[in-house]
Amino acid sequence: MALMRLSSPHAHGPASTQRVMLKVLVATVPGILILTWFFGYGTLVNILFGSVIALAFEALALKLRGRPIGFYLSDLSALVTAFLLCIALPPYSPWWLIATGMASAILLAKHFYGGLGYNPFNPAMVGYVILLISFPVQMTSWAAPRGLAATPGFLESVQACFLPATFDGITMATPLDVLKQNSSLLIEDLWSQNPLFGRWGGLGWEWVNIAFLAGGLWLIQQRVFTWHAPIAMLATLTLLSALFYDGGSSASGGSPLFHLLSGATMFGAFFIITDPVSSAVSLRGRLIYGALIGALIYIIRVRGNYPDAVAFAVLIMNFAAPFIDYYTQPRTYGHSKRGEQ
Amino acid sequence: MRKVFDFHGGVHPLENKHQSVRTAIADAGIPPELVIPLSQHIGAPSNPVVGVGDHVRKGQVIAEALGFVSVPKHAPSSGTILAIEERLIAHPSGHSAPCIVIATDGKDEWAPLPDTRPYESLDKAELLELIRHAGIAGMGGAGFPSAVKLSVKAGITIDTLIINGTECEPYITADDMLMRERSDRIIEGAKILHHLIAPGETVIGVEDNKPEGIAALRKAAEGSGIEIASFPTKYPSGGEKQLIEILTGKQVPSGGLPSDVGVVCQNLGSAVAIYEAVVEGKPLISRITTVTGEAVNEPQNFEVLIGTPVSYLLQKAGYEPSKNDRLIMGGPMMGVTVRDPSVPVVKTTNCLLAPTPQELPVPPPAQACIRCGMCAEACPASLLPQQLFWFAQGKEFEKLEHHNLFDCIECGACSYACPSSIPLVQYYRASKADILHQRKEQEKAEHARLRFETRQQRLEQAEADKEAKRAARKKAAEARAKSAVDDGNGEDPIQAAIARAQAKKAAQQGGGNESEQEKLEKTVVAARKRLDTASKKLEEAKVDGSDLVDALQSGVDKTRAKLDAAEKALAALGEAHAAVAPESEPTDAAQAAIQRAMAAREAEAALSPAEEAKADLEKLEQRLEKTRSKLAQSQASAGEEKVIEALTSTVQRLEQKVEAAQQALSETS
């Protein structure tokens, strides 16, 4: 054989982008299962249809940009975007809602900026926010949890997706909504009077959050991302909700446990803010980035007009990520201060 | 147990060291041809002192060191000098370099070895000279001449002398085998180094994946006061800066030397070479090299003569070229691929790695950077490789430097960890080269600018000086003239003018020639001086074998030609000057003017005031007569009224003046 000339290093580690993406997909499985258990097949149908659409848009964009389609599709990044957006969408979303969201995420937020690695904003969250602003009714009606209403079967769920006009599901406000609207009841009374509340958070929601937490911890153990951003976000959220809990009055913002186990807290902490492309990269930067997202989530949840806040908080901090990175360069070996000789 | 520190980052590539430690170090023997590159390390290449056809004996110096950062080369075995020519060497760019080629005679005859003295009786300078003369250069990394590294500046105290036996690169076991088989020599070498540096402590650092080596060293070191420190296996803990941090917790300042934090580092192999040089008088002519990889049937370590062709060594280990597509000199993390197996083993060749394509697969095409930060986690210098990559792609040199690109040690940990298989180190190497190139260009431009400005300033200064002298002269002249007038009895200005003019004239005649002659003489002297220095430089360049020789030669020729011309001109001028006849009486305009001025002045000075008044009166009367006659004419010819009027008034004025003059005359007389 003719001898090759290559530059060092000649050895390569086991890590690959596919593997990273695949691990993220696997880690969402417990959360998806619990969502399905409590709210029916809606999320699953979302994901199945959304994945197909996402791959189609990805392939289209790659073709238009003259890139090798198979090579880039196999990095699985489109699939990850599809999973994350479809988990965030309400179950039983109509097909056109999912398709619009995917187009925004894959085409607008990702390929318009140059594809994987060049998008300044989290594609799934861009898709989510565009839908939330454009179709508030569809985006804020969430299925009733198991126990409060009958959950539709699989065929009905497919029907809900493709023939939305014929589907008549039961939707309810989410616990975060209820708490925000509450102005007369003490927290304790609210909990005992409203069946939407479970032991710590919303009925069903607490288990969904615990499942995503489990998936996230596994990803940290697998070294897919570091603990810095998620822990900083959760710690800030806990701190702020504890500060403003005021013992559970009718004006209370809700207990720390309620905030940790409601809405998209854990999903956001481990699957959204950890998106490496659009977040800060230095470890100190990730701490700041996560903490500020946690603070924004609390502020928007309690003071804002939207019931949950992860998407907005993440997009706002995506803006700040390069700035944070610039000021949190690690101290290089042999340098006395950061950024100095 | 010593407290060991951790360093940031690092990776854990597969060790693959077990394959090559199963058998003892084997002697690779004497190849038919030895190729010794004149440059095997950082610093100046050495200068051959043998000619083609000369017979050399083992250990004989065949090339002398040139400059401080250089070491001599010795014949690794006896034989005949076959050629001194360009040969392919192991270099990232795959280029050739001047080499001495020895056809070995197989007798392996030693040249007489110098007498040795116990190292305890040698002082620092003597020891350094021994080490330098034995041709010892770092045997681990860049091959920096050991004597230079060991020359600690006066006034710096060294707390810790570190012998680097880390060997963190996968596959390589050369130092491991040295520890297992020659631990006594390592310890003796360490003692010599301890004596030389006189540090607070001497530590041999070894990764904990070499338990046999550590045990052997500990046994040999008993009672010597030398500490054997082991620490967790992690690549690149053998990097000098990383090892210093592991063993002392201190970081070498960026751009500084280990001695800045009181540390001196030496490679384990170099310690053995130093022992052999100081105690046995033997120069560095062989080393231990690991030959491994799945494309060799008997991976093992060899004691190899420097200059042995790689192909010869591979064959000794049962190399199967058909299985091998990439031949690496060094380890899999920092090794250099070899284009052709004819390249020689040099002083830094610790490993030859011949992997199969399955063993070290060609990296897949690079995917997009997803900024996952795994590279930053792996970087032992705490850099942000993904940011550097971003800036390197955009050729943003300033940002690269701001992100401390030059603290990158090119260990390859980031590329190893990258999930998108981006050849990061390659980008950094290219950017570093670009930046260095740019810096050089800037330096050149800056130099040119300074030269121009200095010249401009010099010219302006010369002009200003001239102007100042001129002004001073003018002022002095004025002052002289004024004082002459004031005093009345001082020098007559006219006399002074005469004297000046005469002096000038004299200068123009005889002095003019003299100054020309002086000029020519000066030119000759200067040209001679220039010729001397240029010739000297030319000699030096010839000795160096510099490529400036041609340019210098033409310079010398030109200077010589100029000198000849100047000398001729001088001679010609001398003759011409002699031939010119003595000057006759000056008859030029200046002289005449002076004489006229003198005559007028004398005439004027002769008249008394009364005579003057008389003369004035006469002149006036004459003018009055003339005007009167003109008036009569005009009236007679009935001229214009105006003219008559004007003439009449003139006549009246003149009459008054005449009256005044008559009065003045009567007063004076």
Side-chain angles (χ1 to χ4, degrees):
Chain A
M1 271 188 245
L3 292 177
M4 282 188 301
R5 287 172 63 200
L6 283 175
S7 105
S8 66
H10 308 282
H12 195 267
S16 77
T17 303
Q18 268 122 303
R19 205 175 296 203
V20 169
M21 298 290 175
L22 197 61
K23 280 179 180 170
V24 174
L25 292 178
V26 169
T28 59
V29 170
I32 294 170
L33 289 180
I34 300 289
L35 272 171
T36 307
W37 169 257
F38 278 102
F39 301 100
Y41 293 105
T43 304
L44 216 52
V45 173
N46 282 356
I47 291 172
L48 289 177
F49 177 64
S51 299
V52 173
I53 289 279
L55 290 175
F57 279 135
E58 178 90 353
L60 175 72
L62 290 169
K63 187 164 171 51
L64 289 175
R65 294 178 58 214
R67 303 293 153 106
I69 295 173
F71 177 72
Y72 281 104
L73 276 186
S74 67
D75 67 24
L76 302 182
S77 61
L79 221 48
V80 169
T81 304
F83 268 54
L84 299 183
L85 178 53
C86 291
I87 289 168
L89 291 179
Y92 314 104
S93 289
W95 64 271
W96 53 265
L97 191 77
I98 299 173
T100 309
M102 281 309 157
S104 311
I106 301 282
L107 298 180
L108 185 67
K110 187 176 174 187
H111 282 285
F112 275 22
Y113 284 98
L116 180 64
Y118 297 94
N119 48 301
F121 301 106
N122 186 319
M125 290 302 101
V126 170
Y128 183 85
V129 165
I130 286 178
L131 292 181
L132 183 60
I133 292 168
S134 313
F135 312 105
V137 178
Q138 283 83 354
M139 289 299 287
T140 50
S141 47
W142 198 276
R146 172 181 294 271
L148 298 184
T151 48
F154 186 72
L155 278 180
E156 272 180 287
S157 310
V158 175
Q159 189 195 347
C161 181
F162 294 103
L163 297 166
T166 64
F167 176 71
D168 189 21
I170 298 161
T171 59
M172 288 182 169
T174 62
L176 276 170
D177 260 332
V178 175
L179 187 77
K180 190 196 282 287
Q181 306 304 335
N182 172 51
S183 57
S184 54
L185 293 173
L186 295 178
I187 292 289
E188 216 170 312
D189 294 334
L190 191 66
W191 238 253
S192 59
Q193 286 174 25
N194 194 319
L196 267 176
F197 291 95
R199 191 174 306 171
W200 308 293
L203 184 61
W205 285 106
E206 47 202 26
W207 293 107
V208 169
N209 272 288
I210 288 168
F212 281 120
L213 170 64
L217 292 178
W218 179 70
L219 286 178
I220 290 179
Q221 188 265 326
Q222 290 289 306
R223 304 173 74 99
V224 169
F225 47 74
T226 60
W227 57 267
H228 300 77
I231 298 303
M233 175 195 137
L234 296 177
T236 314
L237 187 60
T238 309
L239 188 75
L240 286 178
S241 50
L243 274 177
F244 298 103
Y245 178 52
D246 73 10
S249 75
S250 58
S252 168
S255 73
L257 210 50
F258 172 77
H259 276 284
L260 288 178
L261 296 178
S262 287
T265 304
M266 293 299 172
F267 177 65
F270 291 98
F271 292 87
I272 300 299
I273 75 165
T274 51
D275 166 38
V277 178
S278 55
S279 70
V281 277
S282 66
L283 297 184
R284 283 192 312 143
R286 284 177 184 170
L287 283 175
I288 296 168
Y289 177 78
L292 289 174
I293 288 179
L296 280 173
I297 288 176
Y298 185 79
I299 293 165
I300 300 176
R301 269 185 182 178
V302 176
R303 296 281 160 208
N305 276 328
Y306 289 95
D308 205 349
V310 173
F312 288 109
V314 168
L315 288 184
I316 290 170
M317 288 312 294
N318 283 168
F319 273 111
F323 180 79
I324 294 174
D325 270 339
Y326 187 84
Y327 286 100
T328 54
Q329 277 182 54
R331 185 185 64 82
T332 306
Y333 179 104
H335 288 247
S336 53
K337 273 186 203 155
R338 291 184 172 86
E340 282 174 36
Q341 286 275 323
Chain B
M1 278 297 282
R2 184 187 188 85
K3 174 177 166 40
V4 293
F5 299 82
D6 192 18
F7 63 94
H8 179 269
V11 289
H12 297 95
L14 284 179
E15 291 291 310
N16 282 315
K17 288 181 186 262
H18 59 278
Q19 299 96 324
S20 53
V21 293
R22 286 179 284 216
T23 52
I25 298 171
D27 185 1
I30 306 165
E33 202 178 273
L34 289 165
V35 180
I36 295 102
L38 292 174
S39 179
Q40 301 189 11
H41 49 71
I42 290 174
S46 42
N47 185 34
V49 291
V50 287
V52 175
D54 287 3
H55 182 263
V56 291
R57 285 191 286 176
K58 185 173 186 162
Q60 181 183 331
V61 172
I62 53 174
E64 288 283 6
L66 274 181
F68 182 57
V69 188
S70 181
V71 292
K73 308 286 178 293
H74 303 78
S77 187
S78 60
T80 315
I81 305 294
L82 196 63
I84 300 175
E85 61 184 14
E86 295 264 317
R87 287 284 182 108
L88 207 59
I89 59 161
H91 188 276
S93 60
H95 67 57
S96 319
C99 297
I100 299 179
V101 185
I102 302 174
T104 55
D105 58 11
K107 292 180 199 156
D108 214 23
E109 275 178 314
W110 274 97
L113 293 177
D115 292 332
T116 56
R117 283 195 285 154
Y119 69 86
E120 292 91 340
S121 66
L122 297 171
D123 68 19
K124 204 173 156 169
E126 286 170 323
L127 265 175
L128 284 175
E129 190 45 43
L130 270 178
I131 290 168
R132 180 184 170 79
H133 192 257
I136 299 170
M139 294 169 76
F144 202 74
S146 296
V148 178
K149 240 178 138 177
L150 292 167
S151 309
V152 181
K153 269 187 212 148
I156 293 179
T157 31
I158 299 299
D159 308 316
T160 313
L161 167 66
I162 296 175
I163 311 287
N164 189 346
T166 316
E167 206 164 53
C168 61
E169 272 245 18
Y171 284 100
I172 309 177
T173 55
D175 286 350
D176 191 2
M177 291 308 291
L178 259 185
M179 286 182 238
R180 294 185 196 201
E181 296 189 10
R182 301 180 190 174
S183 52
D184 292 345
R185 288 177 174 231
I186 296 170
I187 298 298
E188 285 306 309
K191 280 187 194 163
I192 296 170
L193 286 170
H194 187 91
H195 171 71
L196 171 64
I197 301 288
E201 56 170 354
T202 297
V203 191
I204 304 181
V206 191
E207 265 187 350
D208 62 5
N209 60 356
K210 297 181 250 307
E212 296 92 341
I214 295 170
L217 277 181
R218 291 226 160 105
K219 194 161 167 250
E222 264 170 34
S224 67
I226 291 165
E227 192 185 341
I228 318 297
S230 82
F231 43 84
T233 301
K234 177 164 88 168
Y235 179 84
S237 55
E240 188 174 73
K241 291 175 168 180
Q242 281 64 43
L243 183 61
I244 289 170
E245 187 168 16
I246 291 170
L247 293 178
T248 67
K250 294 180 220 165
Q251 292 190 343
V252 181
S254 176
L257 291 173
S259 59
D260 295 344
V261 289
V263 175
V264 166
C265 254
Q266 274 293 308
N267 176 267
L268 193 98
S270 307
V272 174
I274 286 168
Y275 163 80
E276 284 168 0
V278 174
V279 176
E280 297 173 352
K282 289 182 184 168
L284 175 56
I285 50 170
S286 69
R287 65 156 297 136
I288 312 296
T289 299
T290 309
V291 183
T292 186
E294 283 175 17
V296 295
N297 290 324
E298 296 146 43
Q300 60 182 307
N301 281 280
F302 289 98
E303 170 129 28
V304 195
L305 295 177
I306 305 298
T308 301
V310 163
S311 50
Y312 173 87
L313 190 58
L314 285 170
Q315 182 218 323
K316 288 263 165 185
Y319 174 56
E320 291 192 41
S322 61
K323 283 191 188 172
N324 180 227
D325 67 342
R326 185 162 28 161
L327 191 56
I328 300 162
M329 193 179 266
M333 297 302 286
M334 290 185 79
V336 173
T337 47
V338 170
R339 187 168 62 160
D340 189 304
S342 68
V343 301
V345 165
V346 292
K347 289 173 183 176
T348 55
T349 309
N350 48 11
C351 181
L352 283 176
L353 177 54
T356 59
Q358 295 75 40
E359 192 180 4
L360 284 183
V362 175
Q367 289 173 294
C369 168
I370 54 169
R371 297 172 22 107
C372 61
M374 287 183 194
C375 48
E377 277 173 61
C379 181
S382 299
L383 297 166
L384 287 175
Q386 75 279 28
Q387 303 294 98
L388 290 174
F389 168 61
W390 189 268
F391 299 138
Q393 277 183 310
K395 298 214 174 294
E396 294 178 72
F397 294 150
E398 244 174 64
K399 290 236 174 85
L400 280 170
E401 292 198 57
H402 180 249
H403 279 73
N404 303 324
L405 173 68
F406 281 90
D407 288 292
C408 167
I409 57 169
E410 299 178 20
C411 67
C414 52
S415 302
Y416 177 86
C418 179
S420 290
S421 183
I422 300 169
L424 294 163
V425 181
Q426 179 72 342
Y427 277 95
Y428 308 150
R429 283 199 193 105
S431 294
K432 279 184 191 174
D434 281 352
I435 292 174
L436 289 179
H437 180 73
Q438 202 189 38
R439 269 191 208 165
K440 220 174 251 173
E441 292 290 310
Q442 272 169 355
E443 246 165 58
K444 255 194 218 163
E446 179 66 13
H447 190 72
R449 190 182 64 78
L450 277 180
R451 212 168 40 201
F452 174 76
E453 280 177 1
T454 315
R455 178 170 183 275
Q456 210 58 16
Q457 211 177 2
R458 201 179 58 230
L459 290 180
E460 274 165 23
Q461 187 60 46
E463 196 55 42
D465 285 350
K466 249 193 215 164
E467 194 55 48
K469 270 186 197 161
R470 208 175 287 147
R473 266 204 310 273
K474 194 176 167 198
K475 212 172 167 190
E478 277 170 3
R480 247 194 337 268
K482 203 176 169 207
S483 70
V485 170
D486 288 349
D487 294 354
N489 59 357
E491 209 185 335
D492 193 305
I494 288 176
Q495 289 300 336
I498 292 165
R500 274 206 302 282
Q502 268 171 351
K504 206 172 167 190
K505 177 83 188 182
Q508 266 171 1
Q509 282 173 345
N513 275 349
E514 239 169 61
S515 76
E516 204 177 331
Q517 194 171 354
E518 261 171 35
K519 242 191 242 165
L520 273 173
E521 273 167 5
K522 269 183 204 159
T523 316
V524 169
V525 171
R528 262 193 207 132
K529 238 187 222 169
R530 267 212 301 282
L531 183 60
D532 278 353
T533 43
S535 314
K536 245 185 239 162
K537 267 191 197 158
L538 178 61
E539 286 307 308
E540 279 171 23
K542 273 184 185 162
V543 170
D544 286 353
S546 158
D547 46 2
L548 290 173
V549 168
D550 286 347
L552 285 172
Q553 182 68 54
S554 77
V556 168
D557 291 346
K558 268 185 211 157
T559 316
R560 189 166 287 146
K562 268 187 201 162
L563 176 62
D564 286 350
E567 275 173 344
K568 259 183 215 157
L570 184 60
L573 185 74
E575 280 167 29
H577 195 48
V580 170
E583 283 284 318
S584 56
E585 212 40 40
T587 52
D588 64 329
Q591 199 71 15
I594 293 163
Q595 280 168 353
R596 272 204 305 280
M598 275 167 77
R601 178 67 185 257
E602 268 163 27
E604 231 175 292
L607 292 173
S608 71
E611 281 169 337
E612 242 178 270
K614 215 176 178 179
D616 277 352
L617 181 62
E618 271 170 21
K619 269 184 202 161
L620 280 168
E621 276 169 350
Q622 273 172 16
R623 272 175 70 193
L624 182 61
E625 275 313 300
K626 254 189 196 170
T627 319
R628 271 188 189 146
S629 68
K630 259 188 195 172
L631 179 62
Q633 265 177 7
S634 309
Q635 281 167 339
S637 61
E640 273 183 77
E641 253 183 89
K642 272 184 190 172
V643 176
I644 293 167
E645 256 179 17
L647 281 170
T648 316
S649 75
T650 310
V651 168
Q652 282 167 357
R653 253 196 342 255
L654 280 171
E655 280 168 351
Q656 281 167 9
K657 275 193 184 172
V658 168
E659 250 172 68
Q662 276 169 343
Q663 210 171 337
L665 183 60
S666 65
E667 274 169 20
T668 49
S669 54

